[in-house]
Coordinates of all heavy atoms in Angstrom, one line a residue:
A46 N -27.7 -9.8 2.8 CA -29.1 -9.5 3.0 C -29.9 -10.6 3.7 O -30.8 -10.4 4.4 CB -29.7 -9.3 1.6
R47 N -29.5 -11.9 3.4 CA -30.2 -12.9 4.0 C -29.9 -12.9 5.5 O -30.6 -13.5 6.3 CB -29.8 -14.4 3.4 CG -30.2 -14.6 2.0 CD -29.7 -15.8 1.5 NE -30.2 -15.8 0.0 CZ -29.4 -15.7 -1.0 NH1 -28.0 -15.7 -0.9 NH2 -29.7 -15.9 -2.3
Q48 N -28.8 -12.3 6.0 CA -28.6 -12.4 7.4 C -29.4 -11.2 8.0 O -29.7 -11.3 9.3 CB -27.1 -12.0 7.7 CG -26.1 -13.1 7.2 CD -26.4 -14.4 7.7 OE1 -26.5 -14.5 9.0 NE2 -26.5 -15.5 6.9
Y49 N -29.8 -10.3 7.4 CA -30.5 -9.1 7.9 C -31.6 -8.7 7.0 O -31.7 -7.6 6.6 CB -29.5 -7.8 7.8 CG -28.3 -8.0 8.7 CD1 -27.0 -8.2 8.1 CD2 -28.3 -8.0 10.0 CE1 -25.9 -8.4 8.8 CE2 -27.2 -8.1 10.8 CZ -26.0 -8.3 10.2 OH -24.8 -8.4 10.9
P50 N -32.7 -9.7 6.9 CA -33.8 -9.1 6.2 C -34.7 -8.3 6.7 O -35.0 -8.3 8.0 CB -34.5 -10.6 5.8 CG -34.2 -11.3 7.0 CD -32.6 -10.9 7.3
V51 N -35.1 -7.1 6.1 CA -35.9 -6.1 6.6 C -37.2 -6.0 5.8 O -37.2 -6.3 4.6 CB -35.2 -4.8 6.6 CG1 -34.1 -4.7 7.6 CG2 -34.6 -4.3 5.3
A52 N -38.3 -5.5 6.4 CA -39.6 -5.7 5.8 C -40.1 -4.4 5.0 O -41.0 -4.5 4.3 CB -40.6 -5.9 7.1
Q110 N -31.5 -8.7 -3.0 CA -32.0 -9.7 -2.3 C -33.1 -9.1 -1.3 O -34.1 -9.7 -0.9 CB -30.9 -10.4 -1.5 CG -31.5 -11.5 -0.6 CD -32.1 -12.6 -1.5 OE1 -31.4 -13.2 -2.4 NE2 -33.3 -13.0 -1.3
E111 N -32.8 -8.0 -0.7 CA -33.6 -7.3 0.2 C -35.1 -7.0 -0.5 O -36.0 -7.3 0.2 CB -33.1 -6.0 0.8 CG -31.9 -6.2 1.8 CD -32.4 -6.6 3.2 OE1 -33.6 -6.9 3.3 OE2 -31.4 -6.9 4.0
E113 N -36.1 -8.4 -3.0 CA -36.7 -9.7 -3.3 C -37.4 -10.3 -2.1 O -38.8 -10.7 -2.5 CB -35.6 -10.7 -3.9 CG -36.2 -12.2 -4.3 CD -35.1 -13.0 -4.9 OE1 -34.4 -12.4 -5.8 OE2 -35.0 -14.1 -4.6
F114 N -37.1 -10.2 -1.0 CA -37.8 -10.5 0.1 C -39.0 -9.7 0.3 O -40.0 -10.3 0.6 CB -36.9 -10.3 1.4 CG -35.8 -11.4 1.7 CD1 -34.7 -11.0 2.2 CD2 -36.0 -12.7 1.4 CE1 -33.6 -11.9 2.5 CE2 -35.0 -13.6 1.7 CZ -33.8 -13.2 2.2
Q115 N -38.9 -8.5 0.1 CA -40.0 -7.6 0.3 C -41.2 -7.8 -0.6 O -42.4 -7.8 -0.4 CB -39.7 -6.1 0.3 CG -38.8 -5.7 1.5 CD -38.3 -4.3 1.6 OE1 -38.8 -3.5 0.7 NE2 -37.2 -4.1 2.3
S144 N -40.6 -15.6 -6.4 CA -39.3 -16.1 -6.0 C -39.6 -17.6 -5.4 O -40.3 -17.7 -4.5 CB -38.7 -15.2 -4.9 OG -37.5 -15.8 -4.4
S146 N -37.2 -19.3 -4.1 CA -36.1 -19.7 -3.2 C -36.5 -20.1 -1.7 O -37.4 -19.5 -1.3 CB -35.3 -18.4 -3.0 OG -34.3 -18.7 -1.9
E147 N -36.0 -21.2 -1.3 CA -36.4 -21.8 -0.1 C -35.9 -20.7 1.0 O -36.5 -20.6 2.0 CB -35.7 -23.1 0.3 CG -36.3 -24.2 -0.4 CD -37.8 -24.4 0.1 OE1 -38.0 -24.4 1.3 OE2 -38.7 -24.6 -0.9
R148 N -34.8 -20.0 0.7 CA -34.3 -19.0 1.8 C -35.3 -17.9 1.9 O -35.5 -17.4 2.9 CB -33.0 -18.5 1.3 CG -31.8 -19.5 1.6 CD -30.6 -18.9 1.2 NE -29.5 -19.9 1.5 CZ -28.3 -19.7 1.1 NH1 -27.9 -18.7 0.5 NH2 -27.5 -20.6 1.4
A149 N -36.0 -17.5 0.8 CA -37.0 -16.5 0.8 C -38.2 -16.9 1.6 O -38.8 -16.3 2.3 CB -37.4 -16.1 -0.7
E150 N -38.6 -18.2 1.4 CA -39.6 -18.8 2.2 C -39.3 -18.7 3.7 O -40.3 -18.6 4.5 CB -39.7 -20.4 1.8 CG -40.3 -20.5 0.5 CD -41.9 -20.2 0.5 OE1 -42.5 -20.4 1.4 OE2 -42.2 -19.9 -0.7
L151 N -38.1 -18.9 4.2 CA -37.8 -18.9 5.5 C -37.4 -17.5 6.2 O -37.0 -17.6 7.3 CB -36.7 -20.0 5.7 CG -37.0 -21.5 5.4 CD1 -35.8 -22.2 5.5 CD2 -38.2 -22.0 6.2
A152 N -37.3 -16.5 5.3 CA -36.9 -15.3 5.9 C -37.8 -14.8 6.9 O -39.0 -14.7 6.9 CB -36.9 -14.3 4.7
T153 N -37.2 -14.4 8.0 CA -37.9 -13.8 9.2 C -37.3 -12.3 9.3 O -36.1 -12.1 9.6 CB -37.6 -14.5 10.4 OG1 -38.0 -15.8 10.3 CG2 -38.3 -13.8 11.7
F154 N -38.2 -11.4 9.1 CA -37.6 -10.0 9.0 C -37.1 -9.6 10.5 O -37.6 -9.9 11.5 CB -38.6 -9.1 8.7 CG -39.2 -9.3 7.2 CD1 -40.4 -9.5 6.9 CD2 -38.2 -9.1 6.2 CE1 -40.9 -9.7 5.6 CE2 -38.6 -9.3 4.9 CZ -39.8 -9.5 4.5
I155 N -36.0 -8.8 10.6 CA -35.6 -8.3 11.7 C -36.2 -7.0 12.0 O -36.6 -6.4 11.1 CB -33.8 -8.3 11.7 CG1 -33.5 -7.3 10.6 CG2 -33.2 -9.7 11.5 CD1 -32.0 -7.0 10.7
P172 N -45.1 -5.3 4.5 CA -44.1 -6.3 4.9 C -44.5 -7.8 4.7 O -45.4 -8.1 5.4 CB -43.8 -5.9 6.3 CG -44.4 -4.6 6.6 CD -45.5 -4.4 5.6
G173 N -43.7 -8.5 4.0 CA -43.8 -9.8 3.9 C -45.2 -10.4 3.2 O -45.6 -11.5 3.3
L176 N -44.9 -13.3 0.8 CA -44.5 -14.5 1.5 C -45.6 -15.1 2.2 O -45.7 -16.2 2.2 CB -43.3 -14.2 2.4 CG -42.0 -13.8 1.8 CD1 -41.0 -13.4 3.0 CD2 -41.5 -14.9 0.9
R177 N -46.5 -14.1 2.9 CA -47.6 -14.7 3.5 C -48.5 -15.4 2.7 O -49.1 -16.5 3.0 CB -48.3 -13.6 4.4 CG -47.6 -13.1 5.7 CD -48.5 -12.3 6.5 NE -49.1 -11.1 5.8 CZ -48.7 -10.0 5.7 NH1 -47.4 -9.6 6.2 NH2 -49.3 -9.0 5.0
R179 N -48.0 -16.9 -0.2 CA -47.3 -18.1 -0.7 C -47.4 -19.2 0.5 O -47.7 -20.4 0.1 CB -45.8 -17.9 -1.1 CG -45.4 -19.1 -1.9 CD -44.1 -18.8 -2.6 NE -43.8 -17.3 -2.8 CZ -42.5 -16.7 -2.5 NH1 -41.6 -17.6 -2.1 NH2 -42.4 -15.5 -2.7
R180 N -47.1 -18.9 1.6 CA -47.2 -19.8 2.9 C -48.5 -20.3 3.0 O -48.9 -21.4 3.3 CB -46.6 -19.2 4.1 CG -45.2 -19.0 3.9 CD -44.7 -18.4 5.3 NE -43.2 -18.1 5.2 CZ -42.5 -17.1 5.7 NH1 -43.2 -16.3 6.4 NH2 -41.2 -17.1 5.5

Side-chain angles (χ1 to χ4, degrees):
R47 289 182 186 108
Q48 299 299 312
Y49 301 105
V51 292
Q110 187 62 55
E111 288 289 359
E113 187 170 312
F114 283 144
Q115 292 175 19
S144 170
S146 167
E147 284 298 315
R148 288 183 175 168
E150 290 285 331
L151 301 174
T153 302
F154 295 123
I155 62 170
L176 295 178
R177 285 195 309 271
R179 199 167 338 132
R180 287 180 184 145

